[in-house]
């Protein structure tokens, strides 16, 4: 709808490096990850690839506003900033989020663009918008998150001992473990949803994204039903997670992303 250009992360396996969504399918990715030696990691593109990306867009646009994943959630922001130094008309903005939280920032920016806002105003408004978005996840276990270096050994050992499902939120533009849930996965989803949607008066009811990894249709119906019990959102979008997120979280991970009221 908005003709937004996308640059894809890479998924690295023992068999090579593949562009997320474009060159790799999810059909066997989870099965591969479950194997003892099935190491999978997400990698940012190189400075050179970012330069080519910006240069190509600038053949058709006067300015580029690039909205990156959260500054401390990987290397893509740093790499994009480095690449942008070679151009006079490229502005890189830290979305402060990942996954569909980042998507909500991008949708807000697109809306401002359609309203005819200047590049400077869009940049300033995006910075404010990042603080008005809630992004949280619950994973079945901490295995892949720890294996890919996103949390410490003590936290990982605690989760493993308790058989806990880690809860992640964006804090200071970094994805961190902020809690755990105990019990079967479906009950843990329900408690997670109720906890994060409990402040009804502080959450915008326009839209919510529910991201997921490997959930069945029945499970998604349960999750959506529980969300709507908490808050009657006008639009609920079920979004299959990209593989960059999936390889750090694992099967049955779900995430919530929504606008918070000012």
């Amino acid at each position: 709808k908005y003709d937004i250009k996308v640059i894809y992360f890479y998924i690295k396996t023992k068999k090579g490096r593949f562009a997320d969504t474009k060159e790799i399918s999810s059909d066997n990715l989870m099965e591969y990850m479950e194997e003892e030696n099935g190491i999978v990691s997400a990698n940012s593109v190189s400075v050179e690839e970012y330069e080519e990306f910006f240069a190509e867009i600038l053949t058709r646009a006067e300015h580029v506003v690039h909205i990156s994943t959260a500054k401390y959630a990987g290397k893509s922001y740093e790499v994009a900033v480095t690449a942008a130094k070679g151009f006079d008309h490229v502005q890189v903005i830290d979305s402060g989020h990942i996954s569909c939280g980042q998507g909500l920032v991008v949708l807000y920016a697109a809306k401002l663009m359609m309203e005819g806002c200047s590049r400077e105003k869009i940049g300033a408004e995006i910075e404010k918008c990042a603080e008005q978005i809630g992004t949280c996840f619950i994973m079945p276990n901490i295995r892949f998150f720890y294996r890919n270096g996103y949390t410490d050994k003590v936290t990982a050992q605690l989760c493993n001992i308790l058989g806990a499902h880690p809860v992640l939120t964006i804090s200071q533009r970094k994805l961190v473990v902020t809690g755990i849930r105990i019990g079967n996965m479906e009950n843990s989803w329900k408690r997670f949803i109720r906890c994060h949607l409990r402040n009804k008066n502080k959450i915008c009811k326009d839209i919510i994204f529910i991201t997921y990894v490997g959930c069945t249709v029945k499970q998604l119906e349960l999750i959506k039903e529980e969300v709507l019990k908490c808050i009657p959102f006008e639009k609920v979008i079920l979004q299959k997670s990209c593989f960059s997120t999936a390889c750090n979280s694992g099967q049955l991970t779900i995430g919530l992303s929504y606008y918070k009221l000012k």
Side-chain angles (χ1 to χ4, degrees):
K1 180 178 178 179
Y2 296 110
D3 193 27
I4 298 167
K5 305 304 178 187
V6 179
I7 188 165
Y8 295 92
F9 277 14
Y10 284 101
I11 304 301
K12 187 177 180 182
T13 74
K14 286 187 175 182
K15 295 186 178 181
R17 191 179 76 149
F18 307 92
D20 192 349
T21 304
K22 293 177 68 178
E23 298 177 345
I24 190 167
S25 166
S26 63
D27 292 346
N28 298 313
L29 181 62
M30 291 296 112
E31 182 181 337
Y32 177 81
M33 287 171 62
E34 291 295 341
E35 296 174 4
E36 184 176 348
N37 297 316
I39 305 298
V40 178
S41 60
N43 298 112
S44 173
V45 300
S46 66
V47 171
E48 291 74 21
E49 287 169 314
Y50 257 118
E51 288 174 339
E52 291 177 8
F53 178 68
F54 293 149
E56 194 279 329
I57 297 173
L58 284 170
T59 62
R60 292 174 284 111
E62 185 176 349
H63 296 281
V64 173
V65 176
H66 176 66
I67 302 172
S68 83
T69 53
K71 184 175 182 179
Y72 301 114
K75 296 182 178 179
S76 62
Y77 172 78
E78 179 184 338
V79 174
V81 168
T82 300
K85 291 178 180 178
F87 301 90
D88 293 329
H89 301 286
V90 175
Q91 179 183 9
V92 177
I93 299 174
D94 173 10
S95 73
H97 292 267
I98 65 168
S99 188
C100 285
Q102 180 186 5
L104 287 175
V105 175
V106 173
L107 286 176
Y108 181 67
K111 178 175 177 290
L112 294 175
M113 181 196 69
M114 296 296 286
E115 291 173 355
C117 293
S118 67
R119 178 172 58 95
E120 292 78 15
K121 183 174 181 180
I122 290 174
E125 290 298 318
I126 289 174
E127 291 288 347
K128 297 176 186 176
C129 177
E131 304 302 321
Q132 297 300 130
I133 290 174
T135 301
C136 52
F137 302 88
I138 182 170
M139 303 187 298
N141 58 63
I142 206 163
R143 178 183 171 191
F144 299 119
F145 198 67
Y146 172 64
R147 191 169 75 177
N148 291 330
Y150 287 102
T151 193
D152 60 88
K153 188 175 182 180
V154 174
T155 301
Q157 288 178 333
L158 179 63
C159 288
N160 288 332
I161 290 169
L162 296 175
H165 312 302
V167 174
L168 313 175
T169 55
I170 294 288
S171 177
Q172 297 180 340
R173 301 176 185 257
K174 184 178 181 181
L175 191 62
V176 295
V177 178
T178 54
I180 58 173
R181 296 291 170 191
I182 305 292
N184 70 56
M185 203 65 230
E186 289 191 0
N187 286 334
S188 294
W189 284 335
K190 291 178 180 179
R191 292 194 296 272
F192 164 77
I193 291 166
R194 291 168 191 164
C195 176
H196 286 274
L197 300 182
R198 67 184 183 277
N199 294 323
K200 300 179 182 181
N201 296 329
K202 295 183 178 180
I203 296 175
C204 177
K205 297 178 177 64
D206 289 351
I207 184 172
I208 186 169
F209 274 101
I210 303 172
T211 54
Y212 64 93
V213 181
C215 295
T216 66
V217 172
K218 185 176 180 180
Q219 288 170 332
L220 291 174
E221 289 174 352
L222 179 149
I223 292 164
K224 181 178 179 179
E225 181 182 347
E226 196 63 38
V227 165
L228 291 174
K229 281 181 184 177
C230 295
I231 298 177
F233 289 97
E234 292 181 18
K235 184 178 291 186
V236 178
I237 299 178
L238 294 163
Q239 178 65 51
K240 188 175 183 179
S241 173
C242 66
F243 311 131
S244 305
T245 300
C247 72
N248 290 319
S249 59
Q251 290 269 34
L252 304 184
T253 294
I254 68 166
L256 305 176
S257 298
Y258 49 84
Y259 292 115
K260 295 184 287 187
L261 295 172
K262 297 179 180 179

